[in-house]
Amino acid sequence: MESKQFKEIKGGVVAPKGFQCNGIACGVKVPDSKRLDLGLIVSDVPAVAAATFTSNKFKAAPVRVSKAHLASNGSIRAIVTNSGNANACTGPRGINDAKRMTAVTGEALDVKPNHVLVCSTGIIGVPMPMDRIEAKIPKLVSGLQSTSGDNFAKSIMTSDTLMKSFAIEVPLGTKTVRIGASAKGAGMIRPNMATMLCFITTDAAIGKTELRMMTQSAVEQSFNRISIDGDTSTNDTVMVLANGTAGNRKIQGGSPSARKFRQALDYVMLHMAKLLVSDGERVTKFVEIQVRGAASFTDAKKVAEAVANSMLVKCSWNGSDPNWGRVMHAIGYSRARVREELVDIYFDGLCAAKSGLVTETPIEKLKAAVAKREFTVTIDLNLGEAEHSVFTSDLSQEYVDYNRAEYAVRVS
Amino acid sequence: MESKQFKEIKGGVVAPKGFQCNGIACGVKVPDSKRLDLGLIVSDVPAVAAATFTSNKFKAAPVRVSKAHLASNGSIRAIVTNSGNANACTGPRGINDAKRMTAVTGEALDVKPNHVLVCSTGIIGVPMPMDRIEAKIPKLVSGLQSTSGDNFAKSIMTSDTLMKSFAIEVPLGTKTVRIGASAKGAGMIRPNMATMLCFITTDAAIGKTELRMMTQSAVEQSFNRISIDGDTSTNDTVMVLANGTAGNRKIQGGSPSARKFRQALDYVMLHMAKLLVSDGERVTKFVEIQVRGAASFTDAKKVAEAVANSMLVKCSWNGSDPNWGRVMHAIGYSRARVREELVDIYFDGLCAAKSGLVTETPIEKLKAAVAKREFTVTIDLNLGEAEHSVFTSDLSQEYVDYNRAEYAVRVS
């Protein structure tokens, strides 16, 4: 989807040196099934950690516990995860369960509980089946390996149809460092309505402050461009562990290697964010909404998000219908400064509307543009210089079918 | 849906004295078809008029022209309407076409063009087929009658499945006045994403200022409670004509008859608003979201609208799934002041979540509640005294199916 700036390598979250992972079935998703739902990432040495968490006011227990552990000390050894249960809206019991997951994992790894982070995703409001989880943690630990990130990536999937695992290598001065990643998403009408988790590992040597700054800005230009309106779920989390085992000279702020590493981290997060959109629940289209010529950045953002969020626009894409009138609709209620007679709309570069009016572009050409699996909608407000773009998807009947049944299936 | 405070009568928009209407086919929707798409309401005598229009920044040509006519003089004789083409995003040509519709209609009725209002609904960005419309206006006028509002009601339908026509009589002192109404809606994921039109006639004698005040507040507590986020379409319009032929003593502000008439107008608009929701595109559920215990009215509104707008919540209703976790999701990102441990959620009075936690209420009972065609979701934030409620619907696969094809069908 983006130009290949960096060399992709195998291994996912264990592609970087000094990391091990595992993913097994413990019966949270479906009792006694083979579906992987318990995951673990371990760094052989204490790693510098950075994370961003959901802005939803109702934060899941694991989010609160992981925040506390990151605050209490910057060096992390492990991340334990489960899918099938979000441990959200579970009250004090949920907090104890999340703490217990870090304690039991820490015990098995012989590290302090607050050196372990925890993430959960799945159904809300149901107490965690801790017996099943605790019983399997020794097996989870004994199965740790450093050759493939696949099982871990599979263990965090919920409604995802594809495992999301990725890694690149980054030449840094005389050394090469690696960045690995694994993520889960889905729920793509408003992406962050479904939990988004992303775990990033790197063997680069970097300071905590530097890593946290870079993580923040990388999330801003990747996951925050698919998570529209700040409608974040109770569990959304991005975690980055840097264990320094690559032996590079510690990355100093403002240095060329800092710029290079930041580029690489941005690249990995944007790649993962795009994977999340393309693998949204029953998504058939990947659409980039580019807004330019806005009077301000805020206006550009308002327009991009209004269009990306419009159900009628999403439905028209699903039907490969170049319905620029519905795009105008959304621009008109976006509350941004706009002038109808100045708006131009393009589908993959083909001008559908010029100065707010229909163009001569043949409807068949426009239909062909939006019939593609990936296309761009460009909106030029012709008012100023500000720009913003977001990534979104179509709305399919299958999405509705999936989401009307999901919970009912899980409880029965 | 609401208690029958007033006596329903036949006749729709021509139930009040001194009104005539008609609805015919002129081929805007489908050339040479029998589908009614041209409508007219005429008052035998000059009527006091009030109207509210879309807040969308891109206002359709008929909206601009009707606004100008209302500003230029308070007395209106006729409203001419068409469906199949919204005359929106059509530039100066659209303005001329809208003016031309009032001129040709005025000519046939022998009244000034600016005593005629005009409304259009349908596809955006396509020039109006004025030849077909103008050719049929004489027939539209010659067919005027005062016995039934059905043909007019049918002529404004687009994706509506049911004609929406309603009328009541209101004892006012020694006299009886009548209020008639006709409306079209649909597009119910966010109601006002599809054009909403409502035409109200009354034979009550009332002053312009009084009528405009009452219209404003009636719209506020009816259509503005189904049109969430202010995502209004380019054409949304509510028009009220009062021709005074009932012979009642002119309604004076603050009088008992003013209160009674205001109640009646509120009742009619709320009834029409609920009809719009229940007949939303492929809607299978009518849901009232009641928020109480909010710290402020704004907070109550934010929560009600966030829940009413949540796709995942709407999908769960479609599947008759009492998914209170998804409701918590939406409350959590609503940006209102909320505290997880205080939130109670009820489905039709059955407590699904208490103090933010799952209750013992059997899932089957909760499922039965949301399996109904109509039910209430009550959210108590337990923070203050403020309340707000909105009306919404589910999201069905058929909605998507309908909207993915709509435009493609129309252009081919």
Side-chain angles (χ1 to χ4, degrees):
Chain A
M1 297 177 238
E2 64 287 310
S3 59
K4 299 269 167 286
Q5 296 169 248
F6 296 94
K7 184 180 170 213
E8 183 171 350
I9 55 176
K10 294 199 182 314
V13 290
V14 293
K17 288 186 186 165
F19 286 96
Q20 301 179 71
C21 74
N22 193 16
I24 63 173
C26 76
V28 177
K29 276 177 181 163
V30 185
D32 311 317
S33 85
K34 295 261 167 296
R35 290 183 64 186
L36 306 189
D37 50 14
L38 192 63
L40 180 63
I41 298 175
V42 175
S43 173
D44 300 343
V45 299
V48 168
T52 66
F53 297 101
T54 181
S55 62
N56 192 297
K57 286 200 178 134
F58 298 163
K59 295 176 187 357
V63 167
R64 301 185 198 182
V65 169
S66 292
K67 266 188 157 177
H69 287 191
L70 278 168
S72 68
N73 71 101
S75 103
I76 295 298
R77 283 291 306 281
I79 304 170
V80 60
T81 66
N82 76 275
S83 55
N85 188 318
N87 193 10
C89 303
T90 45
R93 173 176 171 174
I95 296 289
N96 292 335
D97 290 345
K99 284 183 181 163
R100 181 86 187 134
M101 280 177 75
T102 62
V104 176
T105 306
E107 208 174 302
L109 292 169
D110 191 27
V111 306
K112 295 206 195 101
N114 70 342
H115 289 217
V116 180
L117 303 179
V118 56
C119 281
S120 300
T121 178
I123 191 165
I124 292 184
V126 177
M128 292 277 277
M130 286 305 291
D131 49 347
R132 292 178 228 156
I133 292 172
E134 291 191 30
K136 286 293 165 66
I137 284 179
K139 182 185 173 193
L140 184 68
V141 169
S142 63
L144 284 166
Q145 47 78 34
S146 56
T147 53
S148 164
D150 290 4
N151 280 357
F152 175 80
K154 287 173 189 159
S155 74
I156 57 174
M157 290 168 66
T158 54
S159 56
D160 308 69
T161 62
L162 299 169
M163 161 189 91
K164 297 165 194 69
S165 186
F166 183 62
I168 60 169
E169 61 180 29
V170 186
L172 220 56
T174 61
K175 301 282 185 180
T176 295
V177 305
R178 285 145 290 268
I179 303 178
S182 189
K184 64 84 52 186
M188 282 302 147
I189 277 193
R190 287 185 169 189
N192 35 8
M193 286 289 299
T195 286
M196 182 278 293
L197 299 179
C198 183
F199 304 96
I200 293 177
T201 54
T202 179
D203 48 20
I206 181 170
K208 185 166 82 177
T209 319
E210 202 59 28
L211 183 67
R212 292 188 175 179
M213 256 177 41
M214 289 187 185
T215 299
Q216 199 58 54
S217 73
V219 167
E220 203 44 59
Q221 58 82 52
S222 58
F223 299 111
N224 286 353
R225 279 165 69 199
I226 64 169
S227 53
I228 289 161
D229 276 359
D231 301 354
T232 55
S233 91
T234 49
N235 296 58
D236 296 346
T237 303
V238 176
M239 290 177 172
V240 184
L241 297 185
N243 68 7
T245 52
N248 61 297
R249 211 154 110 268
K250 191 174 175 186
I251 296 168
Q252 300 299 332
S255 67
S257 52
R259 274 190 296 282
K260 185 72 168 288
F261 186 76
R262 175 193 288 267
Q263 271 177 20
L265 192 62
D266 288 350
Y267 175 83
V268 169
M269 286 208 201
L270 186 57
H271 179 81
M272 298 312 283
K274 289 179 170 182
L275 282 182
L276 294 193
V277 176
S278 342
D279 190 33
E281 280 161 6
R282 313 310 189 255
V283 156
T284 72
K285 309 271 180 173
F286 177 87
V287 186
E288 177 165 7
I289 312 286
Q290 299 176 329
V291 177
R292 62 190 192 208
S296 72
F297 173 74
T298 315
D299 284 344
K301 207 160 175 294
K302 282 179 184 167
V303 169
E305 297 189 345
V307 173
N309 261 342
S310 162
M311 292 307 108
L312 286 171
V313 170
K314 285 170 168 291
C315 287
S316 61
W317 290 337
N318 187 248
S320 298
D321 168 13
N323 196 327
W324 67 272
R326 291 182 182 176
V327 175
M328 287 292 281
H329 245 193
I331 298 169
Y333 66 68
S334 67
R335 294 186 174 74
R337 278 161 292 179
V338 291
R339 281 178 53 198
E340 180 177 345
E341 66 277 19
L342 297 182
V343 176
D344 303 333
I345 298 172
Y346 303 81
F347 293 109
D348 248 8
L350 292 169
C351 190
K354 182 80 188 163
S355 307
L357 298 173
V358 67
T359 63
E360 294 303 314
T361 313
I363 186 76
E364 281 57 38
K365 281 194 173 179
L366 294 170
K367 282 187 178 183
V370 299
K372 284 184 272 183
R373 176 77 173 75
E374 280 186 45
F375 61 89
T376 302
V377 177
T378 306
I379 298 161
D380 195 335
L381 300 176
N382 289 297
L383 279 174
E385 299 303 313
E387 307 188 331
H388 185 60
S389 71
V390 300
F391 304 102
T392 187
S393 64
D394 60 336
L395 166 57
S396 67
Q397 299 172 66
E398 293 72 20
Y399 171 93
V400 177
D401 185 38
Y402 180 83
N403 284 294
R404 71 194 294 275
E406 182 183 19
Y407 183 78
V409 167
R410 290 191 184 172
V411 293
S412 58
Chain B
M1 296 178 242
E2 64 287 310
S3 60
K4 297 269 165 291
Q5 295 170 248
F6 297 92
K7 185 180 169 217
E8 183 170 351
I9 55 175
K10 293 198 182 318
V13 289
V14 293
K17 289 186 187 166
F19 284 97
Q20 301 179 71
C21 74
N22 193 18
I24 63 173
C26 76
V28 177
K29 276 177 180 163
V30 185
D32 310 317
S33 86
K34 295 261 165 298
R35 290 184 64 188
L36 306 189
D37 50 15
L38 192 63
L40 180 64
I41 298 175
V42 175
S43 173
D44 300 342
V45 297
V48 168
T52 65
F53 298 101
T54 181
S55 62
N56 192 298
K57 287 200 178 133
F58 298 162
K59 294 175 187 3
V63 167
R64 300 184 200 182
V65 170
S66 293
K67 266 189 158 176
H69 288 190
L70 277 168
S72 67
N73 71 100
S75 103
I76 293 298
R77 283 291 306 282
I79 303 171
V80 60
T81 65
N82 76 276
S83 54
N85 188 318
N87 193 11
C89 303
T90 45
R93 173 176 172 174
I95 297 288
N96 292 335
D97 290 344
K99 283 183 181 164
R100 181 85 188 136
M101 279 177 75
T102 63
V104 175
T105 306
E107 207 174 300
L109 293 168
D110 190 27
V111 305
K112 296 206 194 97
N114 70 342
H115 288 218
V116 180
L117 303 179
V118 56
C119 281
S120 301
T121 177
I123 192 166
I124 292 184
V126 177
M128 293 277 276
M130 286 306 290
D131 49 347
R132 291 178 226 154
I133 291 172
E134 291 190 30
K136 284 293 169 51
I137 284 178
K139 182 186 174 192
L140 184 68
V141 169
S142 63
L144 284 166
Q145 47 77 36
S146 56
T147 54
S148 165
D150 289 4
N151 280 357
F152 175 79
K154 286 173 190 160
S155 74
I156 57 175
M157 290 168 67
T158 54
S159 55
D160 308 70
T161 62
L162 299 169
M163 162 188 92
K164 297 165 193 71
S165 185
F166 183 61
I168 60 168
E169 60 181 30
V170 187
L172 221 56
T174 61
K175 302 281 187 181
T176 295
V177 305
R178 284 146 291 269
I179 303 178
S182 190
K184 65 84 52 185
M188 281 302 145
I189 275 192
R190 286 185 172 188
N192 37 7
M193 286 289 299
T195 286
M196 183 279 294
L197 299 179
C198 183
F199 304 96
I200 293 177
T201 55
T202 179
D203 47 22
I206 182 170
K208 187 167 83 179
T209 319
E210 202 59 28
L211 184 67
R212 292 189 175 178
M213 255 177 42
M214 289 188 185
T215 299
Q216 200 57 55
S217 73
V219 167
E220 204 41 60
Q221 57 83 53
S222 58
F223 299 111
N224 285 354
R225 278 164 72 197
I226 64 170
S227 53
I228 289 161
D229 276 0
D231 301 354
T232 56
S233 91
T234 49
N235 296 58
D236 296 346
T237 303
V238 177
M239 288 177 174
V240 184
L241 297 185
N243 69 7
T245 52
N248 61 299
R249 213 157 108 265
K250 191 175 175 185
I251 296 169
Q252 300 299 331
S255 67
S257 52
R259 275 191 295 281
K260 185 69 168 293
F261 185 76
R262 174 192 287 267
Q263 271 177 20
L265 193 63
D266 287 351
Y267 175 83
V268 169
M269 286 207 200
L270 186 57
H271 180 80
M272 298 311 284
K274 290 180 171 182
L275 282 181
L276 294 192
V277 176
S278 339
D279 190 32
E281 280 161 7
R282 313 310 189 254
V283 155
T284 72
K285 310 270 182 176
F286 177 86
V287 186
E288 177 165 8
I289 312 286
Q290 300 176 328
V291 177
R292 61 190 193 209
S296 72
F297 173 74
T298 315
D299 284 344
K301 207 159 175 294
K302 281 179 184 166
V303 169
E305 297 189 345
V307 173
N309 260 343
S310 161
M311 293 308 108
L312 286 172
V313 170
K314 284 171 170 291
C315 288
S316 61
W317 291 337
N318 186 249
S320 298
D321 167 14
N323 196 326
W324 66 271
R326 290 183 182 176
V327 175
M328 288 292 280
H329 245 193
I331 298 170
Y333 67 68
S334 68
R335 295 184 171 76
R337 279 162 291 179
V338 290
R339 282 179 51 197
E340 180 177 346
E341 66 277 17
L342 297 182
V343 176
D344 304 333
I345 299 172
Y346 303 82
F347 294 108
D348 247 8
L350 292 169
C351 190
K354 182 79 186 162
S355 308
L357 298 173
V358 68
T359 63
E360 294 303 316
T361 312
I363 186 75
E364 282 59 36
K365 281 193 175 182
L366 295 170
K367 281 187 178 182
V370 299
K372 285 184 272 182
R373 176 78 174 73
E374 279 184 48
F375 59 89
T376 303
V377 177
T378 307
I379 297 160
D380 196 333
L381 300 176
N382 290 297
L383 278 175
E385 298 304 313
E387 308 188 331
H388 185 61
S389 72
V390 299
F391 305 102
T392 187
S393 64
D394 60 335
L395 167 56
S396 67
Q397 298 173 66
E398 294 71 21
Y399 172 94
V400 178
D401 186 37
Y402 180 83
N403 285 295
R404 70 195 294 275
E406 183 182 21
Y407 184 80
V409 166
R410 290 190 185 173
V411 293
S412 57

